[in-house]
Amino acid sequence: MAEHESLEYGKADFVLLDNVSMEEFMGNLKLRVKNMLLKSNCVLEAFGNAKTNRNDNSSRFGKYMDINFDFKGDPIGGHISNYLLEKVNGTLCVSARHQLLRGAPDSLLRSLHIQKDPTAYNYIKVGGQIKSSINDGADFKAVADAMKVIGFTGDEVQTVYKILATILHLGNLTFGVDGDVTLIENPKLVSILRELLSTKEENVEKAMLYRTVATGRDVIEKQHTIQEASYGRDALAKAMYERLFCWIVGRINDIIEVRNYDARVHGKNTVIGVLDIYGFEIFQNNSFEQFCINYCNEKLQQLFIQLVLKQEQEEYQREGIPWKHIDYFNNQIIVDLVEQQHKGIFSVLDEACMNVGKVTDEVFLQGLNGKLAKHAHYTSRKLSPTDKSLEFDRDFRIRHYAGDVVYSVVGFIDKNKDTLFQDFKRLLYNSANPVLKAMWPEGKLSITEVTKRPLTAATLFKNSMISLVENLASKEPYYVRCIKPNDVKSPLLFEQERCRHQVEYLGLLENVRVRRAGFAYRQTYPRFLQRYKMISEFTWPNHDLPSDKDAVKRLMQGCGFDHDVAYGKTKVFIRTPRTLFSLEEQRAEMVQRIVLFLQKVWRGTIARMRYRRMRAALVILRAYRRYKVKSYIREVNRRFKNVRAMKDYGRHVKWPTPPKVLRKFEEALRSIYNRWWAWTLIKGLSPEEALQVRAKVASLEALKGQRADLGLQRAWEGNYLVSMWDYSPDTASSFTLVSSELQRKDKFMRVLFSCNVRKINRFHKAEDRAVLITDRHLYKMDPLKQYKPMKSIPLYNVTGVSVSPGKDQLVVFHTKDSRDLVVCLQGMVPANESRIGELDVNVNAILLRLVSLEN
């Protein structure tokens, strides 16, 4: 921060940003923009600050930042303007160079051919003391992270490091003489510079030792003397750093600047301008930089006088408020002394720089003495021979508003010309590094191309100050004055004389006198009413008095503040802050009550709206449900209207999808239809067919999901061995005789099931057998011996039947004595004819009957 700073705020309309949705834009940009605005200050301080005798981190440039806010108060972008970066080798970029030397990793330092010791570089050690409380390692990491957040690419950051390293190496470049030829004494540095600048080594050496001059159509190369080579080297270092700093500011602006903002879509916006600029400086040796800085402070003081002191008193007179005029120092005369056309110091300096031939600083001082000899705020040793504080042909004194300052003219001419040989510009423009090349666009001009004489540093600075003051004058200013209590950076020492001097030259005394004699607060009647009308019953919510002025009088009288108020033509003036604080307290209390009332009304309104919406939704829902139900019933009726006349009684008809509310109804309706369909089929069957259908249904219920094929698609014959008459009469005859003999013997009523099987014994061997199941016994027979009975098992000894789920038709008859009978029906039956279901239902029926008899 500078020693004395001011903050300036203002309001303006502007246009912003790309055509994107507000939600998307604000969601992604708010935090990012805020981060970049904060991080930009970290980067600018690293490259624009330096250690001085009074400050470890003193701003050596001026900065004005516009911060753009949207209608919700969120930052959406900004723009930075910089003023007069000091280019003195002893202080230039000390912060950035120290951070690079002491904070960069060793690998980066090796790639830049630099070492950590700052005393090894002339441009740093020439500044004197280099110890400070600053942690360069932490600062280097913070700056690197900040550049990444802002949006600098990796190549851009590397180019920045290379430029800093180039400047350090340039400071160590020395020149010598061999006869009449100027040479570089440490040629290894040329190779390093070539690598860092991405150019040719011979081009670097040539630019350092020669200057190309065009005389008409002829182009000659003029060799430098040692002094000229040293001057060119220093000028190159300062110019490279200035271009780097301006490029960094421009790069940040490219990223944070708002564009294409549509106020009609996104709402009104606000701009807050923050001015952070150097304060008034008085050193042991005050040169061109201090002169420009103090001129800047004169301009800002002039603005302060106009906006705060002069306009304050003029406003009282304009509003018809009784007022006693207070004298104050108007520094317009000093501003004119510096910037007046043809007579001002800047004009004299520019004239001296444009003269042909050798122009010295002494010639410039003589010009000042000639044109400003009678000026009350200017003097020199020639004009005041008895003043021994001034040196002949070197010093002049200006009586600033902040006090007298003695300036040394040594270096004024060179610093104002700011000469940089065109050879250096062409050298850097022809670099293979695109970032470095873009910093020197004028280097593309050949030596024979005629260019305009560039504006001097004084003219550029004067124009920028005039533009800055015009910008500030268009806004509503607020000032924050920073007072430095001592020069030794101690938090506990308060030097009264130093503080008094700062208070005096900042114009705070005049400001306090004007404020004390005047009124602390003033506001137009409509805006005052808009803010405080809720305090009085006569003005809330609207008044019926002849004018807003009468309404304000009635409000202040009702509050008992009429004695502390003056009424102007268009504004009300309140003398003491205590009255304003009391008004704010009453307003805050009333606002709370108004807010509660508004909340009550609004919540009631919302509740009624919600109730009406819910009721309307319920009515719509009911009507829709009725519609869906009726539509479903009509569709079902349409599809099943003629099912009686269909061959399958509507079995092929596809059911419509029911609404959710009718899903259970649809299940019941399907059940009713299925029962009707089954009844319609069954009522046309004979008693025998009906009995078989019931058996198949029983089998399906018993084995549902256990087997894929139960033989339900064919007629069940039961006694299959008797039915073999068609293809094996002898077999059928033998079986009939045997079964008749068994019936006579065992007294069974009827045959339930008979079939040829494959028996599997306990040795896992299969044999052809036959089974006969009656209502009393289970018989195992041998078909090869005329169906001779081999085993008879009473059914009351059978505990259950198990069947396999596969196609093998394996059946296990479980008995009480655990001598189970395992047979396979598949072996001697036609292919794909399953008899498992028929067997299972007959056996289970008999077993259930036996169980019921036992019980």
Side-chain angles (χ1 to χ4, degrees), residues 6-264:
S6 63
L7 272 68
E8 185 277 333
Y9 302 85
K11 300 176 182 177
D13 293 329
F14 66 103
V15 180
L16 174 107
L17 283 174
D18 298 328
N19 188 18
V20 296
S21 68
M22 177 61 74
E23 291 79 7
E24 179 184 359
F25 165 67
M26 293 308 297
N28 297 331
L29 192 64
K30 270 189 284 188
L31 188 58
R32 176 173 167 267
V33 169
K34 183 179 179 181
N35 254 349
M36 288 193 297
L37 291 173
L38 294 175
K39 296 295 185 182
S40 67
N41 189 62
C42 173
V43 175
L44 292 178
E45 282 194 357
F47 289 91
N49 289 18
K51 176 180 173 57
T52 65
N53 293 331
R54 297 179 180 176
N55 198 333
D56 282 347
N57 195 31
S58 177
S59 295
R60 308 320 299 163
F61 73 104
K63 178 181 69 176
Y64 175 78
M65 174 186 286
D66 274 330
I67 306 175
N68 301 91
F69 297 85
D70 64 6
F71 69 101
K72 293 188 293 185
D74 294 318
I76 54 177
H79 182 84
I80 300 172
S81 301
N82 63 296
Y83 304 94
L84 189 68
L85 174 70
E86 285 193 37
K87 295 181 292 182
V88 180
N89 293 329
T91 58
L92 180 64
C93 66
V94 167
S95 296
R97 293 184 299 186
H98 271 201
Q99 290 175 16
L100 180 62
L101 293 178
R102 293 178 170 176
D106 293 338
S107 58
L108 176 60
L109 295 179
R110 284 194 300 271
S111 67
L112 300 175
H113 305 284
I114 56 179
Q115 52 185 301
K116 286 184 176 290
D117 182 14
T119 60
Y121 299 98
N122 294 330
Y123 280 164
I124 294 182
K125 69 181 181 182
V126 74
Q129 178 189 7
I130 59 174
K131 293 183 179 180
S132 71
S133 59
I134 296 175
N135 186 338
D136 290 306
D139 286 351
F140 177 84
K141 185 178 185 305
V143 172
D145 292 342
M147 295 179 77
K148 184 176 180 181
V149 169
I150 293 172
F152 286 85
T153 65
D155 291 340
E156 290 172 341
V157 174
Q158 285 300 316
T159 300
V160 170
Y161 295 152
K162 289 180 179 179
I163 293 176
L164 293 179
T166 298
I167 294 171
L168 290 173
H169 289 306
L170 280 174
N172 289 355
L173 197 65
T174 57
F175 303 94
V177 178
D178 183 7
D180 295 333
V181 180
T182 304
L183 300 174
I184 296 176
E185 293 182 336
N186 38 2
K188 290 185 179 180
L189 285 180
V190 178
S191 178
I192 295 175
L193 292 176
R194 185 270 311 165
E195 178 184 340
L196 296 176
L197 296 177
S198 301
T199 186
K200 298 179 180 179
E201 186 172 340
E202 57 269 23
N203 291 346
V204 176
E205 184 175 1
K206 183 178 178 181
M208 291 293 174
L209 298 177
Y210 294 89
R211 177 184 178 189
T212 307
V213 181
T215 58
R217 295 182 179 180
D218 298 327
V219 177
I220 61 173
E221 292 181 353
K222 178 179 178 297
Q223 187 176 24
H224 289 316
T225 63
I226 293 180
Q227 291 75 17
E228 290 172 339
S230 300
Y231 173 84
R233 174 202 62 198
D234 295 341
L236 175 62
K238 290 185 284 186
M240 287 186 67
Y241 195 80
E242 182 190 31
R243 290 295 176 95
L244 171 63
F245 187 77
C246 293
W247 175 83
I248 290 174
V249 173
R251 188 74 179 85
I252 293 174
N253 283 336
D254 290 340
I255 297 171
I256 67 174
E257 195 163 12
V258 294
R259 299 179 181 87
N260 304 327
Y261 186 89
D262 191 344
R264 295 171 298 179

Side-chain angles (χ1 to χ4, degrees), residues 398-415:
I398 293 180
R399 188 187 304 170
H400 289 282
Y401 76 95
D404 294 351
V405 181
V406 176
Y407 297 99
S408 170
V409 297
V410 176
F412 263 61
I413 295 294
D414 288 340
K415 292 175 182 178

Side-chain angles (χ1 to χ4, degrees), residues 418-462:
D418 200 14
T419 304
L420 180 68
F421 300 142
Q422 189 71 19
D423 303 76
F424 291 128
K425 298 178 182 179
R426 284 193 294 273
L427 172 70
L428 298 175
Y429 177 77
N430 292 320
S431 169
N433 187 326
V435 179
L436 184 60
K437 180 185 181 75
M439 295 182 190
W440 299 90
E442 67 272 33
K444 67 180 179 181
L445 299 177
S446 66
I447 189 62
T448 57
E449 291 185 73
V450 179
T451 58
K452 290 185 178 180
R453 183 190 295 269
L455 295 177
T456 61
T459 300
L460 290 173
F461 187 70
K462 180 183 72 172

Side-chain angles (χ1 to χ4, degrees), residues 444-501:
K444 67 180 179 181
L445 299 177
S446 66
I447 189 62
T448 57
E449 291 185 73
V450 179
T451 58
K452 290 185 178 180
R453 183 190 295 269
L455 295 177
T456 61
T459 300
L460 290 173
F461 187 70
K462 180 183 72 172
N463 294 340
S464 65
M465 285 298 103
I466 293 174
S467 175
L468 172 64
V469 170
E470 289 176 354
N471 186 21
L472 299 181
S474 66
K475 304 184 186 303
E476 183 179 352
Y478 295 87
Y479 290 87
V480 176
R481 298 299 194 181
C482 302
I483 305 295
K484 183 177 286 294
N486 58 76
D487 290 334
V488 294
K489 309 168 199 170
S490 171
L492 303 177
L493 181 61
F494 191 89
E495 296 179 359
Q496 182 175 354
E497 182 59 28
R498 174 158 176 74
C499 294
R500 184 200 63 76
H501 177 255

